[in-house]
Amino acid sequence: MAGKRKPKLAVWKFSSCDGCQLSLLDCEDELLTVAASVEIAYFLEATRATIKGPYALSLVEGSISTPEDAERIRAVRRQSKVLITIGACATSGGIQALRNFQDVEQFISTVYARPEFIDTLATSTAIAEHVPVDFELRGCPIDKHQLLEVLNAFLNGRKPNVPRHSQCIECKQAGTVCVMVARGTPCLGPVTQAGCGNLCPSCNRGCYGCFGPKETPNPASLSARFGELGMAQPAVKQIYRLFNAHAPEFQQESQRHE
Amino acid sequence: MSKQTRTIKVDALARVEGEGALHVRIKDGVVKDVKFRIFEPPRFFEAFLQGRLYSEAPDITARICGICPIAYMMGASQAMEDALGMAVTGPLRDLRRLIYCGEWIESHVLHAYLLHAPDFLGFEDAIRLSQHHPGVVEKALQLKKLGNRILEVIGGRAVHPVNLRVGGFYRTPRKDAIRALIGPLQWAVEASLDTVKLVGGFDFPDYHYDYTCVSLHHPDEYPITQGRLISNRGLDIAIDEFSNHIIEQHVAHSNALQGHLQGSDCYLVGPIARYNNNFEQLSDLARQAAGEAGLGRVCDNPFQSIVVRAVETLYACEEALRLAENYEEPDAPYVEPTVQAGIGHGCTEAPRGICYHRYQLDENGRILEATIVPPTSQNQLQIERDLWGVVEKNLDLPEDRLKWRCEQTIRNYDPCISCATHFLRLTVERE
C-alpha cells in the first residue's frame, strides 16, 4: 500500500468520440501492468474514484469547442507536470473543426430546433492553441502501441520513439504495393504521418489522413498528382477536410482549392 | 426525515462514455424534479455531412463514437444502399454480421466488467475489483480482446475500422484469417457462459418498470444489422417510417435531442428491449443460460441489464463462431454502387439500441440532408423516469449510497453520451 509513491496519471476529455481514451482500455494485455506502475488519479471513463492534483502526467483527449472548455484546459495545464494530447481532436481540432470553415450559427440551426439552448464556440481548436503541450500523439484514433511507447518514455524520462515520416515509408517497410502507382487510387499517404500500420493501402484503398500532416509535407505537389489522376478541384479540397482539416498544412492546401 | 432539507452534490459521474449531469430535487421527502443533462459539446455531424459524398458517410459518422463505430458505419452504409437502390446480401452480409458481433462482444464486455460490475461488487473501478478478485478481470479483458480481434481481422483496426464501405468492404479477409478466430471463439462461448453465471449471481436492487420496448425484429435471426421496428405495444413498421413514429425534441437542459414515441411518452431501446422483443430468436444455449441466471421471458428490472448484456455476449460469441466456421471468401469485396438521387434509411442494433440514419442524396451522390438518431438520445427520457423511481424507492439511503445508486441507474443504460451529442455531474437538491 504505502512504500514508493507512484506517479499520478490523469486522463481528461474534451470534445471527442472517446475512442482515444478507449485505446488505453483496449491495451488488454498491458492495462493491469500500466495500472500497477502509475496511480490512476483521474480517469472518469474507467473509475469514479478521483484524486486531487497535481498530476505527473495528463493525457488530454478532445478539442476545445465551448467557452467552458477553454477555461477548463487552463486548469488542467496548471495541475499537470507533463501534458500529452492524444488523437486528432486534441492535436488538430478533429472532425468537428469542419465548422471552422462555415457559419456555426447555420450549423446549430441545422441540427437543433432551439438554437438558443446551445452554447458553443465558432471554432473547434487544438489543445496547443490554448496551452503549452509537451507532446502530441497523432491519430484518429491513436495507435495503442504508440500510446504505450509514449507513456513508457515519459515515465522513464526519455524521448518517445514516434516517427514523423510519411505513410509511404510505412508501406515500403511492410512491402505494401503503392495504391496510387499501381491502381491510380488517390492516397494521402505521401503527406500523412506514419503510425497506423499502413492500414488503408493494405486494404486496397487510399490513406485518408487519420494521423495528420507528416514533417515538412508537400501537399501542393500531391494535389497536382491528384489532378492528373482525374480528381476535380472540389474533391481535392474535400480530401484534406476530414479529421485533421484544421491542421495548418491540410487547412492551407484545402483553401487553395476553394 | 421528510421535512429535512438536504443537498447532495457529486461533481462527476464516472464510468460512462461522455459528459453529462444529473440534477435531482427532493422537497419534504418527495421527488420534485429529475433532469438528466447532456452537456457534451455539440459536434454538428448532421450539418457538416451536407455536401459530402455518399461514400464518405461511413468513415465520417464512425467518428461519432469510438466505442460503437460499426453501428454508425453500418447504418450509414445501409442507408446509402437504400438510397441508391442496391442491397448487400449473401456472404458480404454475413461478414457484416460477423464484424458487428465483434463490436457487441467488445462493447458489452467493456461495459459489463469494466464499467458496470464494480457497482454491484462495491468497487470504484475494475482495477480495484481485479485486486480483490484475481482472474475475473483478466478473463474479461481476454474476451474483450477477442471482440476487438474480430474488428481488426475484418475492419483493419478496433476503433474506427477502415475496411468498410458502401456496398461491402474494400478488401475481404482471407479464409485462413477468419478460420483462425474459430479456436478463440470456442473458448469465448465458454468464457461468456461463465460471465452470465457470474453476473446472474449479483444482488439486484428491487425496481421494476413496465417498459415500452422498441427494437428491430428479423424473421430469421436475433436482430443486429437489419429488421423491422417493433415494440411490445403493437408497433410494427418498416424502418423508413421511423420519423413518422419517433419525434425528437430539443429541451433546454440537454445537448442531445430527446426521442419520444408517438402515443407513449417514453420508451426503451437497447439490450433489455431487444431481449424482451426477440427472446425466441436467441440460441438454445443463450435462452437456457438466461433462465439459469434468473432472467424471465421478460426482463423489467433495469439493474438486470448487465445479465442481458452477458446473455447477448454469449449469443454474439456463438453467432460469430457459426459465421466464422461457414466463411468462404466472397467473389467480390463489394457491390458497385450506381450513383443516383434518392432518399435512404438505415437502422441497426448498436450495442446500446437502435441507431437510425436517413440521408437525401442529389443526382451526383452528394448529401443534401442527414438525420442520425443514436440510441442514448432515445433512452434519455426513460433514464430520467427510472431515476425518479429509484430515488423515490431509496430516499432512506444515506447520501453517498443514494448518489452511487443514481449513478448505477444511469450506468444500467451504458449511456454513450458522445453518441448522444460526455462528464456527468450529479447534484441532488433536497428542500
Side-chain angles (χ1 to χ4, degrees):
Chain A
M1 294 290 280
K4 197 175 144 215
R5 288 282 303 269
K6 292 189 281 190
K8 284 198 251 178
L9 173 74
V11 183
W12 307 94
K13 181 195 150 56
F14 291 83
S15 181
S16 67
C17 80
D18 274 44
C20 290
Q21 38 175 336
L22 181 68
S23 299
L24 187 55
L25 296 175
D26 277 351
C27 297
E28 289 97 356
D29 295 329
E30 303 87 1
L31 184 64
L32 296 177
T33 313
V34 171
S37 53
V38 296
E39 184 173 20
I40 296 179
Y42 191 93
F43 184 8
L44 280 185
E45 182 159 327
T47 178
R48 69 193 297 274
T50 57
I51 300 167
K52 281 203 167 76
Y55 306 101
L57 180 59
S58 277
L59 298 175
V60 177
E61 173 193 275
S63 71
I64 303 301
S65 68
T66 66
E68 196 186 15
D69 282 354
E71 284 305 310
R72 189 158 62 95
I73 189 61
R74 285 182 231 285
V76 169
R77 176 69 265 191
R78 279 195 298 272
Q79 299 175 78
S80 310
K81 185 160 176 267
V82 174
L83 191 156
I84 297 169
T85 58
I86 55 170
C89 295
T91 59
S92 77
I95 185 84
Q96 58 273 21
L98 288 175
R99 75 175 71 174
N100 304 2
F101 302 92
Q102 288 181 39
D103 174 14
V104 76
E105 297 299 327
Q106 201 187 325
F107 267 32
I108 296 172
S109 58
T110 302
V111 179
Y112 297 100
R114 305 281 301 271
E116 67 275 18
F117 295 163
I118 298 295
D119 187 20
T120 185
L121 294 170
T123 54
S124 166
T125 46
I127 300 300
E129 292 173 71
H130 298 264
V131 295
V133 169
D134 298 290
F135 188 81
E136 294 186 310
L137 186 61
R138 305 281 197 84
C140 183
I142 55 169
D143 176 82
K144 68 178 184 183
H145 303 291
Q146 286 199 340
L147 176 63
L148 288 169
E149 162 60 19
V150 169
L151 283 175
N152 194 336
F154 276 91
L155 292 171
N156 293 293
R158 64 171 174 83
K159 194 170 172 279
N161 179 18
V162 174
R164 302 244 16 226
H165 58 228
S166 72
Q167 281 291 333
C168 294
I169 308 285
E170 221 172 19
C171 274
K172 301 294 169 285
Q173 285 171 336
T176 304
V177 174
C178 178
V179 294
M180 202 148 68
V181 172
R183 296 161 173 260
T185 304
C187 177
L188 280 180
V191 297
T192 300
Q193 184 174 309
C196 68
N198 73 303
L199 288 174
C200 287
S202 61
C203 291
N204 298 333
R205 71 178 289 198
C207 163
Y208 58 100
C210 298
F211 278 62
K214 69 180 272 279
E215 58 183 354
T216 62
N218 186 355
S221 168
L222 181 65
S223 300
R225 180 70 191 132
F226 289 161
E228 292 161 15
L229 289 169
M231 235 172 137
Q233 194 86 336
V236 175
K237 178 189 86 179
Q238 297 288 52
I239 200 169
Y240 295 100
R241 289 212 179 152
L242 275 172
F243 321 111
N244 290 287
H246 182 66
E249 297 90 339
F250 284 7
Q251 182 183 329
Q252 286 153 17
E253 187 59 19
S254 76
Q255 282 167 336
R256 282 202 324 119
H257 299 273
E258 286 205 289
Chain B
M1 170 99 189
S2 69
K3 289 282 174 195
Q4 211 172 338
T5 300
R6 290 190 291 174
T7 304
I8 302 173
K9 277 190 180 168
V10 178
D11 290 328
L13 177 62
R15 286 188 267 124
V16 297
E17 290 114 13
E19 293 185 351
L22 171 67
H23 189 93
V24 178
R25 191 159 61 84
I26 303 164
K27 193 175 181 181
D28 299 334
V30 179
V31 182
K32 290 289 179 191
D33 195 25
V34 174
K35 282 198 173 72
F36 173 54
R37 294 181 55 211
I38 288 181
F39 51 90
E40 174 78 17
R43 294 169 72 208
F44 309 111
F45 276 88
E46 289 151 310
F48 61 66
L49 279 162
Q50 290 181 0
R52 305 298 298 220
L53 272 177
Y54 79 93
S55 51
E56 295 181 289
D59 292 325
I60 292 176
T61 58
R63 269 65 182 183
I64 292 173
C65 179
I67 295 105
C68 52
I70 293 293
Y72 289 92
M73 300 185 89
M74 209 77 90
S77 296
Q78 291 184 164
M80 294 307 176
E81 288 152 13
D82 184 36
L84 301 174
M86 56 187 280
V88 173
T89 56
L92 289 175
R93 183 184 185 275
D94 287 349
L95 200 53
R96 283 182 162 179
R97 192 167 168 87
L98 178 55
I99 193 170
Y100 219 133
C101 284
E103 179 158 291
W104 274 28
I105 297 167
E106 163 269 323
S107 177
H108 275 1
V109 174
L110 169 74
H111 186 261
Y113 279 97
L114 269 61
L115 309 183
H116 209 190
D119 285 332
F120 293 93
L121 298 169
F123 295 101
E124 284 171 310
D125 54 57
I127 290 157
R128 286 171 175 83
L129 193 158
S130 75
Q131 290 154 357
H132 290 81
H133 298 271
V136 170
V137 176
E138 286 83 349
K139 194 166 169 182
L141 288 170
Q142 287 312 304
L143 199 51
K144 177 171 156 316
K145 187 180 176 184
L146 178 60
N148 280 335
R149 182 81 201 125
I150 297 172
L151 284 153
E152 288 161 4
V153 168
I154 303 172
R157 65 183 166 198
V159 179
H160 307 327
V162 302
N163 192 27
L164 285 78
R165 53 165 288 169
V166 176
F169 298 85
Y170 285 93
R171 179 182 188 163
T172 46
R174 292 173 54 94
K175 193 170 167 177
D176 55 354
I178 298 290
R179 293 291 160 97
L181 295 168
I182 292 173
L185 279 165
Q186 288 167 337
W187 168 85
V189 170
E190 294 304 316
S192 53
L193 199 51
D194 293 345
T195 304
V196 179
K197 287 179 188 151
L198 176 78
V199 300
F202 290 167
D203 281 331
F204 302 102
D206 181 35
Y207 173 79
H208 303 270
Y209 193 100
D210 183 18
Y211 293 108
T212 297
C213 298
V214 177
S215 74
L216 288 178
H217 175 78
H218 191 280
D220 308 323
E221 60 199 14
Y222 196 73
I224 302 179
T225 58
Q226 284 172 323
R228 284 173 69 82
L229 269 172
I230 67 160
S231 80
N232 55 338
R233 312 243 194 265
L235 180 79
D236 185 0
I237 56 169
I239 61 166
D240 60 10
E241 289 182 66
F242 183 96
S243 53
N244 297 333
H245 295 265
I246 288 167
I247 297 158
E248 285 192 290
Q249 263 178 15
H250 190 187
V251 294
H253 64 272
S254 180
N255 286 351
L257 303 171
Q258 291 188 340
H260 293 252
L261 186 64
Q262 263 185 356
S264 152
D265 62 346
C266 65
Y267 63 99
L268 175 77
V269 303
I272 291 182
R274 275 194 298 261
Y275 175 93
N276 289 351
N277 288 350
N278 300 280
F279 177 80
E280 283 71 23
Q281 286 171 309
L282 284 167
S283 63
D284 293 344
L285 186 62
R287 282 200 309 267
Q288 189 188 341
E292 287 167 9
L295 284 178
R297 165 65 188 79
V298 169
C299 175
D300 65 355
N301 181 344
F303 294 92
Q304 284 182 300
S305 64
I306 189 170
V307 190
V308 178
R309 257 176 221 106
V311 169
E312 285 197 337
T313 304
L314 170 61
Y315 174 78
C317 292
E318 288 183 86
E319 184 69 357
L321 177 59
R322 182 185 71 79
L323 291 163
E325 285 172 339
N326 293 322
Y327 178 73
E328 298 291 340
E329 288 176 33
D331 297 332
Y334 59 89
V335 182
E336 187 68 53
T338 307
V339 175
Q340 61 179 52
I343 294 176
H345 308 259
C347 189
T348 67
E349 284 283 356
R352 291 154 192 80
I354 50 170
C355 183
Y356 168 79
H357 296 239
R358 177 191 181 274
Y359 301 95
Q360 184 179 358
L361 304 179
D362 72 10
E363 66 279 7
N364 300 312
R366 285 198 188 281
I367 299 170
L368 294 170
E369 205 179 83
T371 305
I372 302 168
V373 185
T376 296
S377 65
Q378 300 179 69
N379 275 336
Q380 263 187 110
L381 210 55
Q382 188 66 58
I383 294 173
E384 287 184 352
R385 209 57 59 85
D386 276 4
L387 282 163
W388 197 297
V390 167
V391 172
E392 268 178 352
K393 278 197 96 142
N394 293 282
L395 284 169
D396 294 336
L397 282 181
E399 301 296 350
D400 56 334
R401 293 276 310 282
L402 181 59
K403 274 189 286 185
W404 198 331
R405 184 61 56 83
C406 286
E407 293 180 31
Q408 187 179 3
T409 304
I410 294 170
R411 285 194 284 268
N412 285 337
Y413 285 81
D414 185 8
C416 186
I417 302 170
S418 300
C419 288
T421 51
H422 279 279
F423 208 36
L424 221 52
R425 278 185 207 153
L426 169 66
T427 54
V428 179
E429 195 183 304
R430 300 199 191 214
E431 295 175 24

Coordinates of all heavy atoms in Angstrom, one line a residue, chain A residues 68-126:
Chain A
E68 N -16.6 27.1 -21.8 CA -16.3 26.5 -20.5 C -15.0 25.6 -20.7 O -14.1 25.6 -19.8 CB -17.4 25.6 -20.2 CG -17.4 25.1 -18.7 CD -18.6 24.1 -18.4 OE1 -19.2 23.6 -19.4 OE2 -18.8 23.9 -17.3
D69 N -14.9 24.9 -21.8 CA -13.7 24.0 -22.1 C -12.4 24.8 -22.2 O -11.4 24.4 -21.8 CB -14.0 23.1 -23.3 CG -14.9 21.9 -22.9 OD1 -15.2 21.8 -21.7 OD2 -15.2 21.2 -23.8
A70 N -12.6 26.0 -22.8 CA -11.4 26.9 -23.0 C -10.8 27.3 -21.6 O -9.6 27.4 -21.5 CB -11.8 28.1 -23.8
E71 N -11.7 27.4 -20.6 CA -11.3 27.7 -19.2 C -10.7 26.4 -18.6 O -9.7 26.4 -17.9 CB -12.5 28.2 -18.4 CG -12.8 29.7 -18.7 CD -11.6 30.6 -18.6 OE1 -11.0 30.5 -17.5 OE2 -11.4 31.4 -19.5
R72 N -11.4 25.3 -18.8 CA -11.1 24.1 -18.1 C -9.7 23.6 -18.5 O -8.9 23.1 -17.6 CB -12.1 23.0 -18.4 CG -12.0 21.7 -17.6 CD -13.3 20.9 -17.6 NE -13.8 20.5 -18.9 CZ -13.5 19.3 -19.4 NH1 -12.8 18.4 -18.7 NH2 -14.0 19.0 -20.6
I73 N -9.3 23.7 -19.8 CA -8.0 23.2 -20.2 C -6.9 24.0 -19.5 O -5.8 23.4 -19.2 CB -7.8 23.3 -21.7 CG1 -6.5 22.5 -22.2 CG2 -7.8 24.7 -22.3 CD1 -6.5 21.1 -21.8
R74 N -7.1 25.3 -19.1 CA -6.1 26.0 -18.4 C -5.9 25.4 -17.0 O -4.8 25.3 -16.5 CB -6.5 27.5 -18.3 CG -6.3 28.3 -19.6 CD -6.6 29.7 -19.5 NE -7.5 30.1 -20.5 CZ -7.1 30.3 -21.8 NH1 -5.9 30.2 -22.1 NH2 -8.0 30.7 -22.7
A75 N -7.0 25.1 -16.4 CA -7.0 24.5 -15.1 C -6.2 23.1 -15.1 O -5.4 22.8 -14.2 CB -8.4 24.3 -14.5
V76 N -6.5 22.4 -16.2 CA -5.8 21.1 -16.3 C -4.3 21.3 -16.5 O -3.5 20.6 -15.9 CB -6.3 20.3 -17.6 CG1 -5.5 19.1 -17.9 CG2 -7.8 19.8 -17.3
R77 N -3.9 22.3 -17.3 CA -2.5 22.6 -17.5 C -1.8 23.0 -16.2 O -0.7 22.5 -15.9 CB -2.3 23.7 -18.5 CG -0.9 24.2 -18.8 CD -0.1 23.2 -19.6 NE 0.8 22.4 -18.7 CZ 1.7 21.6 -19.2 NH1 2.0 21.5 -20.5 NH2 2.4 20.9 -18.3
R78 N -2.5 23.8 -15.4 CA -1.9 24.2 -14.1 C -1.6 23.1 -13.2 O -0.6 23.1 -12.4 CB -2.8 25.2 -13.4 CG -2.7 26.7 -14.0 CD -3.4 27.7 -13.0 NE -4.8 27.4 -12.8 CZ -5.8 27.9 -13.6 NH1 -5.5 28.7 -14.6 NH2 -7.1 27.6 -13.4
Q79 N -2.4 22.0 -13.3 CA -2.2 20.9 -12.4 C -1.3 19.8 -12.9 O -1.1 18.8 -12.3 CB -3.6 20.2 -12.1 CG -4.6 21.1 -11.5 CD -5.9 20.4 -11.4 OE1 -6.1 19.6 -10.5 NE2 -6.8 20.7 -12.3
S80 N -0.8 20.0 -14.1 CA -0.1 18.9 -14.8 C 1.4 19.2 -15.0 O 1.7 20.2 -15.6 CB -0.8 18.6 -16.2 OG -2.1 18.4 -16.0
K81 N 2.2 18.3 -14.6 CA 3.7 18.5 -14.8 C 3.9 18.3 -16.3 O 4.5 19.1 -17.0 CB 4.5 17.5 -14.0 CG 6.0 17.7 -14.1 CD 6.7 17.0 -12.9 CE 8.2 17.1 -13.1 NZ 8.8 15.9 -13.7
V82 N 3.4 17.1 -16.8 CA 3.6 16.9 -18.3 C 2.2 16.7 -18.9 O 1.3 16.1 -18.3 CB 4.3 15.5 -18.5 CG1 4.3 15.1 -20.0 CG2 5.8 15.7 -18.0
L83 N 1.9 17.4 -20.0 CA 0.6 17.3 -20.6 C 0.8 16.8 -22.1 O 1.5 17.4 -22.9 CB -0.1 18.7 -20.7 CG -1.5 18.7 -21.1 CD1 -2.2 20.0 -20.5 CD2 -1.7 18.7 -22.6
I84 N 0.2 15.6 -22.3 CA 0.3 15.0 -23.7 C -1.1 15.0 -24.3 O -2.1 14.5 -23.6 CB 0.8 13.6 -23.5 CG1 2.2 13.6 -23.0 CG2 0.8 12.8 -24.9 CD1 2.8 12.3 -22.6
T85 N -1.2 15.4 -25.5 CA -2.5 15.4 -26.2 C -2.6 14.1 -27.0 O -1.6 13.7 -27.6 CB -2.8 16.6 -27.1 OG1 -1.7 16.6 -28.1 CG2 -2.8 17.9 -26.3
I86 N -3.8 13.4 -27.0 CA -3.9 12.2 -27.7 C -5.1 12.3 -28.7 O -6.2 12.6 -28.4 CB -4.2 11.0 -26.7 CG1 -5.4 11.2 -25.8 CG2 -2.9 10.7 -25.9 CD1 -5.8 9.9 -25.0
G87 N -4.7 12.1 -30.0 CA -5.7 12.0 -31.0 C -5.9 13.3 -31.8 O -5.5 14.4 -31.5
A88 N -6.6 13.1 -33.0 CA -6.8 14.2 -33.9 C -7.6 15.3 -33.4 O -7.3 16.5 -33.7 CB -7.4 13.6 -35.2
C89 N -8.5 15.1 -32.5 CA -9.3 16.2 -31.9 C -8.4 17.1 -31.1 O -8.5 18.3 -31.3 CB -10.5 15.6 -31.1 SG -11.7 14.7 -31.9
A90 N -7.6 16.5 -30.2 CA -6.8 17.3 -29.3 C -5.6 17.9 -30.1 O -5.1 19.0 -29.7 CB -6.3 16.4 -28.2
T91 N -5.1 17.2 -31.1 CA -3.9 17.8 -31.8 C -4.3 18.7 -33.0 O -3.5 19.5 -33.4 CB -3.0 16.7 -32.3 OG1 -3.7 15.9 -33.2 CG2 -2.4 15.9 -31.2
S92 N -5.5 18.6 -33.5 CA -5.8 19.5 -34.6 C -7.3 19.9 -34.7 O -7.7 20.5 -35.7 CB -5.4 18.8 -36.0 OG -6.4 17.9 -36.3
G93 N -8.1 19.7 -33.7 CA -9.5 20.1 -33.7 C -10.5 19.1 -34.1 O -11.7 19.2 -33.9
G94 N -10.0 18.0 -34.7 CA -10.9 16.9 -35.1 C -11.9 17.2 -36.2 O -11.8 18.2 -36.8
I95 N -12.7 16.2 -36.4 CA -13.7 16.3 -37.5 C -14.7 17.5 -37.2 O -15.2 18.2 -38.1 CB -14.5 15.0 -37.7 CG1 -15.5 15.0 -38.8 CG2 -15.3 14.6 -36.4 CD1 -14.9 14.7 -40.2
Q96 N -14.9 17.8 -35.9 CA -15.8 18.9 -35.6 C -15.2 20.2 -35.9 O -15.9 21.2 -35.9 CB -16.2 18.8 -34.1 CG -15.1 18.9 -33.1 CD -14.5 17.5 -32.8 OE1 -14.7 16.5 -33.5 NE2 -13.9 17.3 -31.6
A97 N -13.9 20.3 -36.4 CA -13.3 21.5 -36.8 C -13.8 21.9 -38.2 O -13.5 23.0 -38.7 CB -11.8 21.5 -36.8
L98 N -14.6 21.0 -38.8 CA -15.2 21.4 -40.1 C -16.0 22.7 -40.0 O -16.3 23.4 -41.0 CB -16.0 20.2 -40.7 CG -15.1 19.1 -41.2 CD1 -16.0 17.9 -41.7 CD2 -14.2 19.5 -42.4
R99 N -16.5 22.9 -38.8 CA -17.3 24.1 -38.5 C -16.5 25.4 -38.8 O -17.0 26.4 -39.1 CB -17.9 24.1 -37.1 CG -16.8 24.5 -36.1 CD -17.3 24.7 -34.7 NE -17.7 23.4 -34.1 CZ -18.1 23.2 -32.9 NH1 -18.2 24.2 -32.1 NH2 -18.4 22.0 -32.4
N100 N -15.1 25.3 -38.6 CA -14.3 26.4 -38.7 C -14.3 27.0 -40.1 O -14.0 28.2 -40.3 CB -12.8 26.1 -38.4 CG -12.7 25.4 -37.0 OD1 -13.6 25.2 -36.3 ND2 -11.4 25.1 -36.7
F101 N -14.8 26.2 -41.1 CA -14.8 26.7 -42.5 C -16.2 27.3 -42.8 O -16.4 27.7 -43.9 CB -14.5 25.6 -43.4 CG -13.1 25.0 -43.2 CD1 -13.0 23.9 -42.4 CD2 -12.0 25.5 -43.8 CE1 -11.7 23.3 -42.1 CE2 -10.8 25.0 -43.6 CZ -10.6 23.9 -42.8
Q102 N -17.2 27.2 -41.9 CA -18.5 27.6 -42.2 C -19.1 28.4 -41.0 O -18.5 28.7 -40.0 CB -19.4 26.4 -42.4 CG -19.0 25.8 -43.8 CD -19.9 24.6 -44.1 OE1 -21.0 24.5 -43.8 NE2 -19.2 23.6 -44.7
D103 N -20.3 28.8 -41.3 CA -21.0 29.6 -40.3 C -21.7 28.8 -39.2 O -22.6 28.0 -39.5 CB -22.1 30.5 -41.0 CG -23.0 31.2 -40.1 OD1 -22.6 31.4 -38.9 OD2 -24.0 31.7 -40.5
V104 N -21.1 28.9 -38.0 CA -21.6 28.0 -36.9 C -23.1 28.2 -36.6 O -23.8 27.2 -36.2 CB -20.7 28.0 -35.7 CG1 -21.0 29.3 -34.9 CG2 -20.8 26.8 -34.8
E105 N -23.6 29.4 -36.7 CA -25.0 29.6 -36.4 C -25.9 28.8 -37.3 O -26.9 28.2 -36.9 CB -25.3 31.1 -36.6 CG -24.6 32.1 -35.7 CD -24.8 31.8 -34.2 OE1 -26.0 31.4 -33.9 OE2 -23.9 32.0 -33.4
Q106 N -25.5 28.7 -38.6 CA -26.2 27.9 -39.5 C -26.2 26.4 -39.1 O -27.1 25.7 -39.2 CB -25.7 28.1 -40.9 CG -26.6 27.8 -42.0 CD -25.9 27.9 -43.4 OE1 -25.0 28.7 -43.6 NE2 -26.3 27.0 -44.3
F107 N -25.0 26.0 -38.7 CA -24.8 24.6 -38.2 C -25.8 24.3 -37.1 O -26.4 23.2 -37.0 CB -23.4 24.3 -37.7 CG -22.4 23.8 -38.8 CD1 -22.6 24.2 -40.1 CD2 -21.4 23.0 -38.4 CE1 -21.7 23.7 -41.1 CE2 -20.5 22.5 -39.4 CZ -20.7 22.8 -40.7
I108 N -25.8 25.2 -36.1 CA -26.7 25.0 -34.9 C -28.1 24.8 -35.3 O -28.8 23.9 -34.9 CB -26.5 26.1 -33.9 CG1 -25.1 26.2 -33.4 CG2 -27.5 25.9 -32.7 CD1 -24.8 27.4 -32.5
S109 N -28.6 25.7 -36.2 CA -30.0 25.6 -36.6 C -30.3 24.4 -37.5 O -31.4 24.0 -37.6 CB -30.4 26.9 -37.2 OG -29.7 27.2 -38.4
T110 N -29.2 23.8 -38.1 CA -29.4 22.6 -38.9 C -29.7 21.4 -38.0 O -30.5 20.6 -38.3 CB -28.2 22.3 -39.8 OG1 -28.0 23.4 -40.6 CG2 -28.4 21.1 -40.7
V111 N -29.1 21.4 -36.9 CA -29.2 20.2 -36.0 C -30.2 20.4 -34.9 O -30.9 19.5 -34.5 CB -27.8 19.9 -35.4 CG1 -27.9 18.7 -34.4 CG2 -26.8 19.6 -36.5
Y112 N -30.3 21.6 -34.4 CA -31.1 21.8 -33.2 C -32.3 22.8 -33.5 O -32.2 23.8 -34.1 CB -30.3 22.4 -32.0 CG -29.2 21.5 -31.6 CD1 -27.9 21.7 -32.0 CD2 -29.5 20.4 -30.7 CE1 -26.9 20.8 -31.6 CE2 -28.5 19.6 -30.3 CZ -27.2 19.8 -30.8 OH -26.2 18.9 -30.4
A113 N -33.5 22.3 -32.9 CA -34.7 23.1 -33.1 C -34.7 24.4 -32.3 O -35.2 25.4 -32.7 CB -35.9 22.3 -32.7
R114 N -34.0 24.4 -31.2 CA -33.9 25.6 -30.3 C -32.5 26.1 -30.1 O -31.9 25.8 -29.1 CB -34.5 25.2 -28.9 CG -36.0 24.6 -29.0 CD -37.0 25.7 -29.2 NE -37.0 26.7 -28.1 CZ -37.7 26.6 -27.0 NH1 -38.5 25.5 -26.8 NH2 -37.7 27.5 -26.1
P115 N -32.0 26.8 -31.1 CA -30.6 27.3 -31.1 C -30.2 28.0 -29.8 O -29.1 28.0 -29.4 CB -30.5 28.2 -32.3 CG -31.6 27.8 -33.2 CD -32.7 27.3 -32.3
E116 N -31.2 28.7 -29.2 CA -30.8 29.5 -28.0 C -30.4 28.6 -26.8 O -29.7 29.1 -25.9 CB -32.0 30.4 -27.6 CG -33.3 29.6 -27.1 CD -34.2 29.1 -28.2 OE1 -33.8 29.1 -29.4 OE2 -35.4 28.8 -27.8
F117 N -30.6 27.3 -26.9 CA -30.2 26.4 -25.8 C -28.7 26.0 -25.9 O -28.1 25.4 -25.0 CB -31.0 25.1 -25.8 CG -32.5 25.3 -25.4 CD1 -33.4 24.2 -25.7 CD2 -32.9 26.4 -24.8 CE1 -34.7 24.4 -25.4 CE2 -34.3 26.6 -24.5 CZ -35.2 25.5 -24.8
I118 N -28.1 26.3 -27.1 CA -26.8 25.8 -27.4 C -25.7 26.8 -27.1 O -25.8 27.9 -27.6 CB -26.7 25.3 -28.9 CG1 -27.7 24.1 -29.1 CG2 -25.3 24.9 -29.2 CD1 -27.4 22.9 -28.3
D119 N -24.7 26.5 -26.3 CA -23.6 27.4 -26.1 C -22.3 26.8 -26.6 O -21.8 25.8 -26.2 CB -23.5 27.5 -24.5 CG -22.5 28.6 -24.1 OD1 -22.2 29.4 -25.0 OD2 -22.0 28.5 -23.0
T120 N -21.9 27.3 -27.7 CA -20.7 26.7 -28.3 C -19.8 27.8 -28.9 O -20.3 29.0 -29.2 CB -21.1 25.8 -29.4 OG1 -20.0 25.1 -30.0 CG2 -21.9 26.4 -30.6
L121 N -18.5 27.5 -29.1 CA -17.6 28.5 -29.8 C -17.8 28.3 -31.3 O -18.2 27.3 -31.8 CB -16.2 28.2 -29.4 CG -15.8 28.5 -28.0 CD1 -14.4 27.9 -27.7 CD2 -15.9 30.0 -27.6
A122 N -17.4 29.4 -32.1 CA -17.5 29.3 -33.5 C -16.5 28.3 -34.1 O -16.6 27.9 -35.3 CB -17.3 30.7 -34.1
T123 N -15.5 27.9 -33.3 CA -14.4 27.1 -33.9 C -14.2 25.9 -32.9 O -14.5 25.9 -31.7 CB -13.1 27.8 -34.0 OG1 -12.8 28.4 -32.7 CG2 -13.1 28.9 -35.0
S124 N -13.6 24.8 -33.5 CA -13.1 23.7 -32.7 C -11.6 23.7 -32.9 O -11.1 23.7 -34.1 CB -13.7 22.4 -33.2 OG -13.0 21.3 -32.7
T125 N -10.8 23.8 -31.8 CA -9.4 24.1 -32.0 C -8.6 23.1 -31.1 O -9.1 22.4 -30.2 CB -9.0 25.5 -31.5 OG1 -9.7 25.8 -30.3 CG2 -9.4 26.5 -32.6
A126 N -7.3 22.9 -31.5 CA -6.4 22.0 -30.9 C -6.0 22.5 -29.5 O -6.0 23.7 -29.2 CB -5.1 21.9 -31.7

